Amino acid sequence: LTTLTLPFADRNLGYYWHLYDSEQNDTRLPRSLKTIILSEGVTTISDSAFENCGYLERIYFPSTLTWIGQNAFTGCSNLKEAHVKSVAGLCSIYLDRWSSHPLLDLYIDGSRISTLIIPDGVANIGNISLYISSVSSVIIPQSVMQINSSAFYSALRRVYYCGTREEWMNVQNSCANVS
């Protein structure tokens, strides 16, 4: 088993999983499992849902996902890829306390992204929603009105805003590394 698709009717994925077996000091998933695909309809990944799934390499997020809980991917040392269907959807995901999660390369429709173009119409860039290591530059549309704290990885080198300097000054920007 190398790929597992989770077809949950329940929209919240999490606490009841108990994937980590503390007595065995190992995950209950097979070591051959490299890919998890979350089905459309899942909105929440609860705290510690995939904690210590150290063999996991990539995860596919559904467009319906809006929240990833604390430590959801703590101990996933081989997790390097996050696959999403849309940038707009990615901007709306709230990641709770990302510091304990691995940095990921972002893939959209199978292509690795280094320049992220946020689509026009996105008004809010969620807290830590774009904490992706492969993204070195971002293009922000005039429609963005708020950038929450820690929205971007600190290695971000270029930020382009599609509005005027005056409009940029009105964006509620609490992100320390985007100015």
Side-chain angles (χ1 to χ4, degrees):
L1 179 67
T2 59
T3 301
L4 178 63
T5 301
L6 302 175
F8 280 93
D10 183 355
R11 296 179 311 175
N12 299 317
L13 177 67
Y15 294 111
Y16 52 85
W17 265 68
H18 307 293
L19 293 175
Y20 185 68
D21 185 343
S22 58
E23 290 179 17
Q24 298 295 319
N25 195 28
D26 202 0
T27 180
R28 293 183 176 152
L29 290 173
R31 291 176 183 230
S32 60
L33 184 64
K34 306 293 183 209
T35 304
I36 297 255
I37 302 169
L38 301 178
S39 296
E40 287 297 318
V42 172
T43 59
T44 303
I45 299 174
S46 296
D47 296 353
S48 304
F50 294 101
E51 186 172 11
N52 293 314
C53 292
Y55 309 105
L56 191 61
E57 294 176 0
R58 69 195 60 80
I59 188 159
Y60 289 79
F61 294 124
S63 62
T64 52
L65 185 66
T66 58
W67 181 275
I68 298 176
Q70 289 185 20
N71 303 314
F73 297 102
T74 296
C76 295
S77 55
N78 288 315
L79 184 60
K80 303 292 185 230
E81 298 178 13
H83 294 258
V84 298
K85 295 183 179 188
S86 78
V87 175
L90 176 69
C91 290
S92 67
I93 297 173
Y94 181 90
L95 295 151
D96 196 356
R97 207 174 84 199
W98 184 256
S99 62
S100 61
H101 299 298
L103 293 175
L104 305 174
D105 286 344
L106 176 63
Y107 290 79
I108 299 175
D109 291 328
S111 297
R112 186 175 180 271
I113 303 300
S114 60
T115 297
L116 185 63
I117 302 170
I118 297 174
D120 195 30
V122 170
N124 182 31
I125 299 175
N127 194 30
I128 318 175
S129 62
L130 300 175
Y131 211 73
I132 308 293
S133 62
S134 64
V135 174
S136 60
S137 60
V138 64
I139 299 172
I140 300 173
Q142 190 175 6
S143 61
V144 169
M145 300 307 298
Q146 182 173 0
I147 301 173
N148 292 333
S149 64
S150 303
F152 298 104
Y153 179 55
S154 59
L156 190 64
R157 291 188 302 242
R158 292 182 203 97
V159 175
Y160 302 99
Y161 179 68
C162 296
T164 66
R165 180 170 178 75
E166 195 172 273
E167 290 168 329
W168 177 247
M169 300 310 281
N170 289 325
V171 172
Q172 292 180 352
N173 181 5
S174 57
C175 185
N177 59 338
V178 175
S179 55

